Amino acid sequence: MSGPAPSQLQTFPPPTDRVAPPRERRRLSRPVAFASLAVVFVLFMAASSAPSPLYVVYQQQWHFSPTTLTTVFAVYVLGMIAALLVLGALSDHLGRRPVLLGAIALEAASMVLFLTAGNVGLLLTARLIQGIATGAAMTTLGAALSDLNPTHAPHRAGLVTGTAPTFGLGLGSLGCGLLIEYGPHPTRLVYVLLLTALVVAGALLSALPETSLRRPGAARSLQPRLRIAPHLRADLLSLVPILIASWALGGLYLSLGPSVAVGLFGLSSHVVGGLVVTLLTGPAFLTALALRGWPVGRTLAVSATLLLVGTAVALTGVEEHSLTTAALGTAIAGVGFGGSALASFGTLARIARPAERSELLSVAFVISYLAFSIPAVIAGIAATHAGLKDTFVTYAATVAALCALALLAQRLRATRAPVAAGVPQA
């Protein structure tokens, strides 16, 4: 008796307990993941400075005052500070990858708003969302880089965290200036390119290996707080003048720098507007790379001196209407900016215990970015009423005074703790 034809055989699904588990998505190797995070860090910083050369274009098209211009700049920083305070510890509970992908999505949304912006209201909204996205990304990127730090190069994560901001800020500003000057659609093209890069970054980060396990307490971690251990307060206080001086100078250049190039020196090229920022951040990046092995005390003293000298030279250039002198002063101040950032955050990371480090650095970041934004807004208001030149001169003189105070503070600190000045920075 013959059996049924093959086509008539009844088939049954395999038993459920024998079904092979779905294959886990392939993840990036640790070296590739580390490099990807470094590139994404630079991308966020480049995106944050890209609008700076465009402020002059927006101002010409929409006819708003310097006060409005610096408000647009400050809204970004306030969004970033809020994210640092509220979202700083979220990735410790949800994991690095989800928070980074959320930050990428927010940043992409801000690029869409920039693309469609036709008035100051949309521009303010775009900058606020961008600030929140950047703040969330900065804390998580720093943590993820530390998680993936190669054992043979223990300081690499710290070096990337210290140099990516200045490199990205210079790259974004100069790149946007070139696109405005030589590319089509000056207020659109840069955002299309950044949006494309963010899509690629999102695809890359979706394959990031997770380095932080989920744990309860995510909602509780959203409560903002600033706390400094009592034994760390004197050291932080001694660094406050140089933190304020360096970041206030950075805020001046990123908010009003391109306007100074156009209004005081008559330079209509948008490439020059981008170069104004790059002249400060480029030397800062190179200095942080070059001085990473120097003792902290020496680095802080040299940096405060160069900040003071550079600001004074730039001030002289503006007073004498000498573009060469002003550019030279900016570059010198940039060296001081890079060295002070490296040594300040290196000092704070070294003196704090592991359980205190995150809180201490959060406080330092908040101080830095408040100095980055609030004086720039005051300068914008002053420029509307007193004029651009007088505002720049007064602002630069104030920064120079803070640099002198920073030198005095470091001298007093070195006198109190001479051993600390000779300890190499992390």
Side-chain angles (χ1 to χ4, degrees):
M1 183 176 175
S2 60
S7 61
Q8 296 175 325
L9 287 172
Q10 187 175 5
T11 58
F12 297 93
T16 54
D17 59 348
R18 295 184 183 178
V19 175
R23 293 180 62 187
E24 185 179 351
R25 180 170 180 169
R26 188 172 181 180
R27 299 297 179 192
L28 300 174
S29 66
R30 290 178 68 91
V32 173
F34 186 92
S36 300
L37 289 168
V39 171
V40 171
F41 207 145
V42 172
L43 173 61
F44 267 96
M45 294 296 100
S48 72
S49 67
S52 290
L54 279 168
Y55 288 152
V56 176
V57 179
Y58 291 133
Q59 198 172 17
Q60 292 169 349
Q61 289 182 353
W62 300 337
H63 309 290
F64 55 76
S65 68
T67 301
T68 303
L69 187 153
T70 48
T71 301
V72 172
F73 166 78
V75 159
Y76 160 80
V77 181
L78 293 177
M80 187 182 347
I81 289 172
L84 285 169
L85 290 174
V86 175
L87 304 176
L90 188 61
S91 71
D92 291 335
H93 301 274
L94 298 184
R96 313 297 187 210
R97 190 169 60 243
V99 176
L100 284 174
L101 289 174
I104 288 277
L106 271 181
E107 186 80 4
S110 74
M111 293 299 112
V112 173
L113 286 174
F114 278 123
L115 274 169
T116 58
N119 54 59
V120 176
L122 275 178
L123 194 62
L124 283 166
T125 304
R127 281 299 265 174
L128 177 63
I129 293 174
Q130 187 183 38
I132 295 170
T134 306
M138 280 181 65
T139 55
T140 310
L141 284 166
L145 284 165
S146 296
D147 295 341
L148 295 168
N149 195 56
T151 54
H152 66 276
H155 303 309
R156 185 169 295 174
L159 180 62
V160 172
T161 304
T163 57
T166 52
F167 179 71
L169 289 172
L171 180 65
S173 181
L174 180 58
C176 183
L178 289 167
L179 289 174
I180 297 171
E181 189 69 25
Y182 301 113
H185 309 294
T187 60
R188 300 284 186 269
L189 179 58
V190 64
Y191 300 123
V192 171
L193 294 176
L194 287 170
L195 183 58
T196 303
L198 286 166
V199 171
V200 175
L204 204 59
L205 292 182
S206 66
L208 191 73
E210 184 54 74
T211 57
S212 179
L213 297 176
R214 281 177 175 267
R215 60 186 178 92
R220 202 181 314 115
S221 74
L222 299 179
Q223 298 174 0
R225 68 173 184 175
L226 288 176
R227 190 177 66 182
I228 310 169
H231 68 279
L232 298 173
R233 290 171 187 168
D235 288 292
L236 177 62
L237 205 59
S238 70
L239 293 171
V240 166
I242 197 165
L243 284 172
I244 294 177
S246 57
W247 286 92
L249 187 65
L252 173 66
Y253 275 86
L254 262 79
S255 60
L256 290 180
S259 298
V260 169
V262 173
L264 297 186
F265 293 103
L267 301 171
S268 58
S269 171
H270 296 290
V271 177
V272 174
L275 275 172
V276 169
V277 178
T278 307
L279 268 176
L280 184 76
T281 58
F285 166 70
L286 295 174
T287 300
L289 286 178
L291 301 187
R292 61 186 185 274
W294 274 33
V296 169
R298 188 197 310 168
T299 304
L300 284 170
V302 170
S303 299
T305 302
L306 291 176
L307 269 174
L308 174 60
V309 171
T311 303
V313 172
L315 181 58
T316 302
V318 170
E319 287 278 30
E320 296 182 354
H321 203 74
S322 170
L323 179 62
T324 303
T325 305
L328 177 63
T330 301
I332 294 171
V335 174
F337 184 23
S340 63
L342 174 73
S344 297
F345 288 102
T347 297
L348 296 174
R350 177 180 55 79
I351 63 176
R353 303 185 188 105
E356 303 165 338
R357 194 165 294 150
S358 178
E359 288 180 340
L360 181 62
L361 290 176
S362 293
V363 173
F365 272 124
V366 169
I367 293 170
S368 299
Y369 284 110
L370 284 174
F372 197 57
S373 57
I374 292 176
V377 174
I378 295 172
I381 296 171
T384 303
H385 298 92
L388 198 56
K389 181 178 179 179
D390 289 345
T391 299
F392 185 90
V393 168
T394 303
Y395 195 121
T398 303
V399 170
L402 283 168
C403 293
L405 182 61
L407 272 172
L408 178 62
Q410 289 310 310
R411 187 174 295 277
L412 291 174
R413 181 174 179 274
T415 302
R416 288 198 319 268
V419 176
V423 179
Q425 56 215 2

